[in-house]
Amino acid sequence: MGCVCSGALSADTLERTSKHPCYSADAHHKYARIHLPVAPRCNIQCNYCNRKFDCVNESRPGVTSEVLTPELAKDKFVWVKEKIEHLSVVGIAGPGDALADWQFTRQTIENIKAINQDITFCLSTNGLLLPEYAPEVVALGVRHVTVTVNALDPVISAKIYKFVSYQGKTYTGVAAAEVLLANQLAGIKYLVEHGVLVKINIVMIKDLNDSHIPAVVKKMKELGVFVTNIMPLIPAPGSAFQHLPQTSTKEVNALRDVCQLDIRQMRHCQQCRADAIGLLHEDRSQEFRMCNRLQDDEAVNKNGTGKSYRIAVTSKYGKLVDQHFGHATQFYIYQGDGQEFRLRETRAVAQYCEGMAECDTDNADTKREKIIESLKDCNAVLTMRIGYHAKEKLQKNGVYITEYCDTVETGLRYTASQIEGLEQASGYK
Ligand code: CLF
Ligand code: SF4
């Protein structure tokens, strides 16, 4: 195991590290982490990533069953903390990039810090925005940051990243690789100099960056990082690398053995989901979906009327009901008593209507069925327009449909009043 200078690290950081399931191999059988999926956007496109593909059985970075607001993330933390005794770490690992949605990431950390000083925060990022935000990360007290660095050679990087979007410009090819690498190196240096334990994730892609990885590890050692985590490529469906072979454990371990001579190697990574919860080898994310929690809360409402409506909304930016049901890639799920509504979650779905040619295919039908199934727990759908088949099936499930074109706020009240009217008139449930 490589030697790590811990001279600059505080006793508090070392103590927290000993209870961090990813940073300490000894801790991962006992201590749990929760990933709070508050950062949906990303500013680069890795060719191995597809965040649109969500499946509850899928376990890999970028996958989540829900995206939470910072307020809801705090609620979820409180809920999970009560149930999992040795929860030691809150990680923000997307489903996009923790720094691309920095205002949400920061707000989430602040919300939780205000109620719990013992929890350790951890961020995972591609590093592009570290030069901007590393000082704030440090000031917030975050001492564990993971940066994914797949290559130093821009010619190799150019094959791994489709584009890099930075300060209003989109870069591709070698130019993209150079912008990304410069920011990663500057950001890692800053973090290390300010007492942060930096972990480097490296995706091992056969015949692409595999023989270059020892050079990456040496450079990371020079920068003073704590540990490197060489991970196998998972060819995600729908990603540009979906047809590449999955790197085998044997191949990854052989490379880790080589790199171990330079720096300590993480060997227990589970390549977890962006909403993973629990011990690393025992994901409990489905048990703790916020929609399960909401069922417990259902009877509770602000005005004490006993009424509670859960309404799924299609909206491009969350303010107006301005999106067709079939074009939605996510639903905003609101809960309220008819007057006051609160955004409880955003629920990602695979868009089923991509134009006339696509709309009647078997593939579109399957996607539509999945969406309808995923909205079964809602009382209503509030949308600009909806197709005949989807409407009919939702109504069969007891889901009321409002087609509407105004603000989300007024649409929610209107929908609740319509349901109430129906209930009074005909006992509709
Ligand atoms: Fe999450 Fe990553 Fe923090 Fe761990 S995961 S942000 S350092 S708390 Fe851990 Fe999961 Fe492997 Fe990541 S097992 S994918 S290394
Ligand atoms: Fe996906 Fe992360 Fe790459 Fe962004 S940085 S494209 S979220 S793997």
Side-chain angles (χ1 to χ4, degrees), residues 20 22-23 33 35 61 89 91-93 122-124 146 199 201 229 231 266 268-272 280:
H20 192 309
C22 304
Y23 278 69
R33 51 76 179 100
H35 280 174
V89 171
I92 297 177
C122 186
L123 298 181
S124 175
T146 295
K199 175 162 76 60
N201 283 356
N229 175 23
M231 314 157 89
M266 180 175 185
H268 58 288
C269 175
Q270 298 296 315
Q271 290 181 280
C272 29
L280 295 190

PDB file of all heavy atoms in Angstrom, residues 20 22-23 33 35 61 89 91-93 122-124 146 199 201 229 231 266 268-272 280, ligand 1:
ATOM      1  N   HIS A  20     -15.557   6.096   6.719  1.00  0.00           N
ATOM      2  CA  HIS A  20     -16.075   6.319   5.370  1.00  0.00           C
ATOM      3  C   HIS A  20     -15.984   4.996   4.599  1.00  0.00           C
ATOM      4  O   HIS A  20     -14.877   4.486   4.379  1.00  0.00           O
ATOM      5  CB  HIS A  20     -15.244   7.402   4.678  1.00  0.00           C
ATOM      6  CG  HIS A  20     -15.860   7.920   3.405  1.00  0.00           C
ATOM      7  ND1 HIS A  20     -16.295   7.087   2.385  1.00  0.00           N
ATOM      8  CD2 HIS A  20     -16.126   9.187   2.992  1.00  0.00           C
ATOM      9  CE1 HIS A  20     -16.778   7.819   1.393  1.00  0.00           C
ATOM     10  NE2 HIS A  20     -16.704   9.089   1.741  1.00  0.00           N
ATOM     11  N   CYS A  22     -16.123   4.107   1.552  1.00  0.00           N
ATOM     12  CA  CYS A  22     -15.356   4.035   0.306  1.00  0.00           C
ATOM     13  C   CYS A  22     -13.871   4.298   0.538  1.00  0.00           C
ATOM     14  O   CYS A  22     -13.013   3.688  -0.095  1.00  0.00           O
ATOM     15  CB  CYS A  22     -15.901   5.034  -0.703  1.00  0.00           C
ATOM     16  SG  CYS A  22     -17.638   4.809  -1.022  1.00  0.00           S
ATOM     17  N   TYR A  23     -13.566   5.196   1.454  1.00  0.00           N
ATOM     18  CA  TYR A  23     -12.172   5.564   1.689  1.00  0.00           C
ATOM     19  C   TYR A  23     -11.458   4.576   2.611  1.00  0.00           C
ATOM     20  O   TYR A  23     -10.230   4.538   2.650  1.00  0.00           O
ATOM     21  CB  TYR A  23     -12.089   6.970   2.303  1.00  0.00           C
ATOM     22  CG  TYR A  23     -12.190   8.089   1.294  1.00  0.00           C
ATOM     23  CD1 TYR A  23     -13.378   8.342   0.624  1.00  0.00           C
ATOM     24  CD2 TYR A  23     -11.085   8.891   0.999  1.00  0.00           C
ATOM     25  CE1 TYR A  23     -13.474   9.368  -0.304  1.00  0.00           C
ATOM     26  CE2 TYR A  23     -11.161   9.920   0.074  1.00  0.00           C
ATOM     27  CZ  TYR A  23     -12.362  10.147  -0.575  1.00  0.00           C
ATOM     28  OH  TYR A  23     -12.440  11.166  -1.496  1.00  0.00           O
ATOM     29  N   ARG A  33     -23.540   4.611   3.520  1.00  0.00           N
ATOM     30  CA  ARG A  33     -23.631   5.950   2.923  1.00  0.00           C
ATOM     31  C   ARG A  33     -25.016   6.108   2.275  1.00  0.00           C
ATOM     32  O   ARG A  33     -25.679   5.133   1.914  1.00  0.00           O
ATOM     33  CB  ARG A  33     -22.530   6.196   1.883  1.00  0.00           C
ATOM     34  CG  ARG A  33     -22.363   5.137   0.791  1.00  0.00           C
ATOM     35  CD  ARG A  33     -23.368   5.150  -0.267  1.00  0.00           C
ATOM     36  NE  ARG A  33     -23.133   4.144  -1.281  1.00  0.00           N
ATOM     37  CZ  ARG A  33     -23.764   2.986  -1.330  1.00  0.00           C
ATOM     38  NH1 ARG A  33     -24.632   2.653  -0.389  1.00  0.00           N
ATOM     39  NH2 ARG A  33     -23.549   2.137  -2.311  1.00  0.00           N
ATOM     40  N   HIS A  35     -26.579   8.294  -0.972  1.00  0.00           N
ATOM     41  CA  HIS A  35     -26.413   9.233  -2.083  1.00  0.00           C
ATOM     42  C   HIS A  35     -27.704  10.007  -2.230  1.00  0.00           C
ATOM     43  O   HIS A  35     -28.781   9.408  -2.367  1.00  0.00           O
ATOM     44  CB  HIS A  35     -26.148   8.484  -3.398  1.00  0.00           C
ATOM     45  CG  HIS A  35     -24.739   8.045  -3.560  1.00  0.00           C
ATOM     46  ND1 HIS A  35     -24.315   7.268  -4.603  1.00  0.00           N
ATOM     47  CD2 HIS A  35     -23.634   8.310  -2.812  1.00  0.00           C
ATOM     48  CE1 HIS A  35     -23.009   7.057  -4.488  1.00  0.00           C
ATOM     49  NE2 HIS A  35     -22.577   7.680  -3.414  1.00  0.00           N
ATOM     50  N   PRO A  61     -23.225   4.086 -11.818  1.00  0.00           N
ATOM     51  CA  PRO A  61     -23.310   5.536 -11.671  1.00  0.00           C
ATOM     52  C   PRO A  61     -24.234   6.157 -12.725  1.00  0.00           C
ATOM     53  O   PRO A  61     -24.317   5.667 -13.847  1.00  0.00           O
ATOM     54  CB  PRO A  61     -21.858   5.980 -11.885  1.00  0.00           C
ATOM     55  CG  PRO A  61     -21.040   4.782 -11.505  1.00  0.00           C
ATOM     56  CD  PRO A  61     -21.844   3.591 -11.908  1.00  0.00           C
ATOM     57  N   VAL A  89     -22.035   8.710   5.994  1.00  0.00           N
ATOM     58  CA  VAL A  89     -21.654   9.583   4.869  1.00  0.00           C
ATOM     59  C   VAL A  89     -22.870   9.963   4.027  1.00  0.00           C
ATOM     60  O   VAL A  89     -23.696   9.113   3.708  1.00  0.00           O
ATOM     61  CB  VAL A  89     -20.611   8.872   3.964  1.00  0.00           C
ATOM     62  CG1 VAL A  89     -20.369   9.657   2.683  1.00  0.00           C
ATOM     63  CG2 VAL A  89     -19.300   8.673   4.708  1.00  0.00           C
ATOM     64  N   GLY A  91     -23.326  11.324   0.352  1.00  0.00           N
ATOM     65  CA  GLY A  91     -22.593  11.557  -0.889  1.00  0.00           C
ATOM     66  C   GLY A  91     -23.504  12.193  -1.928  1.00  0.00           C
ATOM     67  O   GLY A  91     -24.688  11.880  -1.998  1.00  0.00           O
ATOM     68  N   ILE A  92     -22.941  13.101  -2.708  1.00  0.00           N
ATOM     69  CA  ILE A  92     -23.699  13.636  -3.844  1.00  0.00           C
ATOM     70  C   ILE A  92     -22.943  13.241  -5.105  1.00  0.00           C
ATOM     71  O   ILE A  92     -21.819  13.687  -5.346  1.00  0.00           O
ATOM     72  CB  ILE A  92     -23.931  15.145  -3.716  1.00  0.00           C
ATOM     73  CG1 ILE A  92     -24.786  15.372  -2.457  1.00  0.00           C
ATOM     74  CG2 ILE A  92     -24.636  15.691  -4.972  1.00  0.00           C
ATOM     75  CD1 ILE A  92     -25.073  16.775  -2.086  1.00  0.00           C
ATOM     76  N   ALA A  93     -23.579  12.327  -5.824  1.00  0.00           N
ATOM     77  CA  ALA A  93     -22.929  11.714  -6.991  1.00  0.00           C
ATOM     78  C   ALA A  93     -23.886  11.758  -8.167  1.00  0.00           C
ATOM     79  O   ALA A  93     -24.165  10.765  -8.817  1.00  0.00           O
ATOM     80  CB  ALA A  93     -22.541  10.279  -6.655  1.00  0.00           C
ATOM     81  N   CYS A 122     -19.542  14.009   1.083  1.00  0.00           N
ATOM     82  CA  CYS A 122     -18.652  13.484   0.053  1.00  0.00           C
ATOM     83  C   CYS A 122     -19.210  13.887  -1.314  1.00  0.00           C
ATOM     84  O   CYS A 122     -20.422  13.817  -1.520  1.00  0.00           O
ATOM     85  CB  CYS A 122     -18.661  11.964   0.196  1.00  0.00           C
ATOM     86  SG  CYS A 122     -17.516  11.123  -0.859  1.00  0.00           S
ATOM     87  N   LEU A 123     -18.370  14.333  -2.205  1.00  0.00           N
ATOM     88  CA  LEU A 123     -18.829  14.737  -3.536  1.00  0.00           C
ATOM     89  C   LEU A 123     -18.105  13.942  -4.611  1.00  0.00           C
ATOM     90  O   LEU A 123     -16.941  13.590  -4.455  1.00  0.00           O
ATOM     91  CB  LEU A 123     -18.514  16.220  -3.790  1.00  0.00           C
ATOM     92  CG  LEU A 123     -19.147  17.256  -2.891  1.00  0.00           C
ATOM     93  CD1 LEU A 123     -18.705  18.646  -3.364  1.00  0.00           C
ATOM     94  CD2 LEU A 123     -20.650  17.145  -2.913  1.00  0.00           C
ATOM     95  N   SER A 124     -18.812  13.746  -5.702  1.00  0.00           N
ATOM     96  CA  SER A 124     -18.191  13.090  -6.850  1.00  0.00           C
ATOM     97  C   SER A 124     -18.394  13.998  -8.063  1.00  0.00           C
ATOM     98  O   SER A 124     -19.504  14.454  -8.322  1.00  0.00           O
ATOM     99  CB  SER A 124     -18.882  11.744  -7.060  1.00  0.00           C
ATOM    100  OG  SER A 124     -18.406  11.145  -8.213  1.00  0.00           O
ATOM    101  N   THR A 146     -14.304  13.026  -4.855  1.00  0.00           N
ATOM    102  CA  THR A 146     -13.855  12.102  -5.903  1.00  0.00           C
ATOM    103  C   THR A 146     -13.872  12.820  -7.247  1.00  0.00           C
ATOM    104  O   THR A 146     -14.859  13.487  -7.574  1.00  0.00           O
ATOM    105  CB  THR A 146     -14.797  10.881  -5.972  1.00  0.00           C
ATOM    106  OG1 THR A 146     -14.680  10.158  -4.757  1.00  0.00           O
ATOM    107  CG2 THR A 146     -14.428   9.966  -7.130  1.00  0.00           C
ATOM    108  N   LYS A 199     -10.058  11.338  -4.004  1.00  0.00           N
ATOM    109  CA  LYS A 199     -10.045   9.983  -4.583  1.00  0.00           C
ATOM    110  C   LYS A 199     -10.209  10.151  -6.093  1.00  0.00           C
ATOM    111  O   LYS A 199     -11.001  10.984  -6.534  1.00  0.00           O
ATOM    112  CB  LYS A 199     -11.213   9.173  -4.001  1.00  0.00           C
ATOM    113  CG  LYS A 199     -11.363   7.792  -4.615  1.00  0.00           C
ATOM    114  CD  LYS A 199     -12.223   6.895  -3.730  1.00  0.00           C
ATOM    115  CE  LYS A 199     -13.699   7.220  -3.844  1.00  0.00           C
ATOM    116  NZ  LYS A 199     -14.230   7.076  -5.208  1.00  0.00           N
ATOM    117  N   ASN A 201     -11.320   8.394  -9.502  1.00  0.00           N
ATOM    118  CA  ASN A 201     -11.929   7.278 -10.224  1.00  0.00           C
ATOM    119  C   ASN A 201     -11.386   7.260 -11.650  1.00  0.00           C
ATOM    120  O   ASN A 201     -11.272   8.315 -12.290  1.00  0.00           O
ATOM    121  CB  ASN A 201     -13.453   7.422 -10.259  1.00  0.00           C
ATOM    122  CG  ASN A 201     -14.101   7.032  -8.940  1.00  0.00           C
ATOM    123  OD1 ASN A 201     -13.428   6.576  -8.012  1.00  0.00           O
ATOM    124  ND2 ASN A 201     -15.399   7.204  -8.852  1.00  0.00           N
ATOM    125  N   ASN A 229      -9.100   4.650  -7.776  1.00  0.00           N
ATOM    126  CA  ASN A 229     -10.123   3.606  -7.890  1.00  0.00           C
ATOM    127  C   ASN A 229     -10.287   3.282  -9.369  1.00  0.00           C
ATOM    128  O   ASN A 229     -10.975   3.991 -10.085  1.00  0.00           O
ATOM    129  CB  ASN A 229     -11.433   4.135  -7.284  1.00  0.00           C
ATOM    130  CG  ASN A 229     -12.591   3.178  -7.462  1.00  0.00           C
ATOM    131  OD1 ASN A 229     -12.386   1.975  -7.632  1.00  0.00           O
ATOM    132  ND2 ASN A 229     -13.806   3.705  -7.410  1.00  0.00           N
ATOM    133  N   MET A 231     -11.893   1.385 -12.193  1.00  0.00           N
ATOM    134  CA  MET A 231     -13.193   0.719 -12.304  1.00  0.00           C
ATOM    135  C   MET A 231     -13.348   0.125 -13.697  1.00  0.00           C
ATOM    136  O   MET A 231     -12.871   0.712 -14.670  1.00  0.00           O
ATOM    137  CB  MET A 231     -14.329   1.742 -12.109  1.00  0.00           C
ATOM    138  CG  MET A 231     -14.146   2.686 -10.940  1.00  0.00           C
ATOM    139  SD  MET A 231     -15.108   4.193 -11.167  1.00  0.00           S
ATOM    140  CE  MET A 231     -16.631   3.694 -10.427  1.00  0.00           C
ATOM    141  N   MET A 266      -8.282   1.387  -4.371  1.00  0.00           N
ATOM    142  CA  MET A 266      -9.578   0.950  -3.860  1.00  0.00           C
ATOM    143  C   MET A 266      -9.950  -0.333  -4.602  1.00  0.00           C
ATOM    144  O   MET A 266      -9.866  -0.399  -5.823  1.00  0.00           O
ATOM    145  CB  MET A 266     -10.631   2.036  -4.109  1.00  0.00           C
ATOM    146  CG  MET A 266     -11.995   1.625  -3.594  1.00  0.00           C
ATOM    147  SD  MET A 266     -13.227   2.921  -3.743  1.00  0.00           S
ATOM    148  CE  MET A 266     -14.611   2.127  -2.921  1.00  0.00           C
ATOM    149  N   HIS A 268     -12.877  -2.236  -3.383  1.00  0.00           N
ATOM    150  CA  HIS A 268     -14.203  -2.702  -2.952  1.00  0.00           C
ATOM    151  C   HIS A 268     -15.329  -1.834  -3.523  1.00  0.00           C
ATOM    152  O   HIS A 268     -16.451  -1.855  -3.031  1.00  0.00           O
ATOM    153  CB  HIS A 268     -14.292  -2.758  -1.424  1.00  0.00           C
ATOM    154  CG  HIS A 268     -14.027  -1.443  -0.739  1.00  0.00           C
ATOM    155  ND1 HIS A 268     -12.777  -0.881  -0.655  1.00  0.00           N
ATOM    156  CD2 HIS A 268     -14.868  -0.592  -0.109  1.00  0.00           C
ATOM    157  CE1 HIS A 268     -12.864   0.263   0.000  1.00  0.00           C
ATOM    158  NE2 HIS A 268     -14.122   0.462   0.341  1.00  0.00           N
ATOM    159  N   CYS A 269     -15.028  -1.077  -4.564  1.00  0.00           N
ATOM    160  CA  CYS A 269     -16.054  -0.200  -5.153  1.00  0.00           C
ATOM    161  C   CYS A 269     -17.185  -1.024  -5.772  1.00  0.00           C
ATOM    162  O   CYS A 269     -16.951  -2.049  -6.398  1.00  0.00           O
ATOM    163  CB  CYS A 269     -15.406   0.671  -6.229  1.00  0.00           C
ATOM    164  SG  CYS A 269     -16.587   1.675  -7.124  1.00  0.00           S
ATOM    165  N   GLN A 270     -18.401  -0.549  -5.594  1.00  0.00           N
ATOM    166  CA  GLN A 270     -19.570  -1.254  -6.139  1.00  0.00           C
ATOM    167  C   GLN A 270     -20.171  -0.530  -7.333  1.00  0.00           C
ATOM    168  O   GLN A 270     -21.240  -0.901  -7.814  1.00  0.00           O
ATOM    169  CB  GLN A 270     -20.649  -1.387  -5.051  1.00  0.00           C
ATOM    170  CG  GLN A 270     -20.225  -2.184  -3.848  1.00  0.00           C
ATOM    171  CD  GLN A 270     -19.928  -3.629  -4.197  1.00  0.00           C
ATOM    172  OE1 GLN A 270     -20.680  -4.267  -4.912  1.00  0.00           O
ATOM    173  NE2 GLN A 270     -18.815  -4.145  -3.700  1.00  0.00           N
ATOM    174  N   GLN A 271     -19.527   0.536  -7.797  1.00  0.00           N
ATOM    175  CA  GLN A 271     -20.040   1.347  -8.927  1.00  0.00           C
ATOM    176  C   GLN A 271     -21.527   1.629  -8.718  1.00  0.00           C
ATOM    177  O   GLN A 271     -22.388   1.212  -9.498  1.00  0.00           O
ATOM    178  CB  GLN A 271     -19.776   0.639 -10.250  1.00  0.00           C
ATOM    179  CG  GLN A 271     -18.282   0.638 -10.555  1.00  0.00           C
ATOM    180  CD  GLN A 271     -17.964  -0.019 -11.865  1.00  0.00           C
ATOM    181  OE1 GLN A 271     -17.910  -1.236 -11.942  1.00  0.00           O
ATOM    182  NE2 GLN A 271     -17.746   0.768 -12.888  1.00  0.00           N
ATOM    183  N   CYS A 272     -21.792   2.317  -7.641  1.00  0.00           N
ATOM    184  CA  CYS A 272     -23.178   2.402  -7.193  1.00  0.00           C
ATOM    185  C   CYS A 272     -24.004   3.477  -7.896  1.00  0.00           C
ATOM    186  O   CYS A 272     -23.477   4.383  -8.534  1.00  0.00           O
ATOM    187  CB  CYS A 272     -23.243   2.574  -5.691  1.00  0.00           C
ATOM    188  SG  CYS A 272     -21.885   3.403  -4.950  1.00  0.00           S
ATOM    189  N   LEU A 280     -22.119  -0.711   1.178  1.00  0.00           N
ATOM    190  CA  LEU A 280     -21.775  -0.688  -0.249  1.00  0.00           C
ATOM    191  C   LEU A 280     -22.286  -1.926  -0.982  1.00  0.00           C
ATOM    192  O   LEU A 280     -22.703  -1.844  -2.127  1.00  0.00           O
ATOM    193  CB  LEU A 280     -20.254  -0.581  -0.435  1.00  0.00           C
ATOM    194  CG  LEU A 280     -19.569   0.695   0.040  1.00  0.00           C
ATOM    195  CD1 LEU A 280     -18.134   0.733  -0.442  1.00  0.00           C
ATOM    196  CD2 LEU A 280     -20.313   1.946  -0.386  1.00  0.00           C
TER     197      LEU A 280
HETATM  198 FE1  CLF B   1     -20.571   8.060  -2.816  1.00  0.00          FE
HETATM  199 FE2  CLF B   1     -18.347   8.055  -4.122  1.00  0.00          FE
HETATM  200 FE3  CLF B   1     -18.555   9.369  -1.884  1.00  0.00          FE
HETATM  201 FE4  CLF B   1     -18.510   6.751  -1.881  1.00  0.00          FE
HETATM  202  S1  CLF B   1     -19.569   6.046  -3.777  1.00  0.00           S
HETATM  203  S2  CLF B   1     -19.656   9.837  -3.707  1.00  0.00           S
HETATM  204  S3  CLF B   1     -16.868   8.097  -2.525  1.00  0.00           S
HETATM  205  S4  CLF B   1     -19.928   8.039  -0.767  1.00  0.00           S
HETATM  206 FE5  CLF B   1     -17.922   4.346  -3.306  1.00  0.00          FE
HETATM  207 FE6  CLF B   1     -19.956   3.855  -4.837  1.00  0.00          FE
HETATM  208 FE7  CLF B   1     -17.543   3.152  -5.603  1.00  0.00          FE
HETATM  209 FE8  CLF B   1     -18.226   5.678  -5.538  1.00  0.00          FE
HETATM  210  S5  CLF B   1     -18.641   2.371  -3.852  1.00  0.00           S
HETATM  211  S6  CLF B   1     -19.111   4.198  -6.852  1.00  0.00           S
HETATM  212  S7  CLF B   1     -16.362   4.793  -4.759  1.00  0.00           S
END
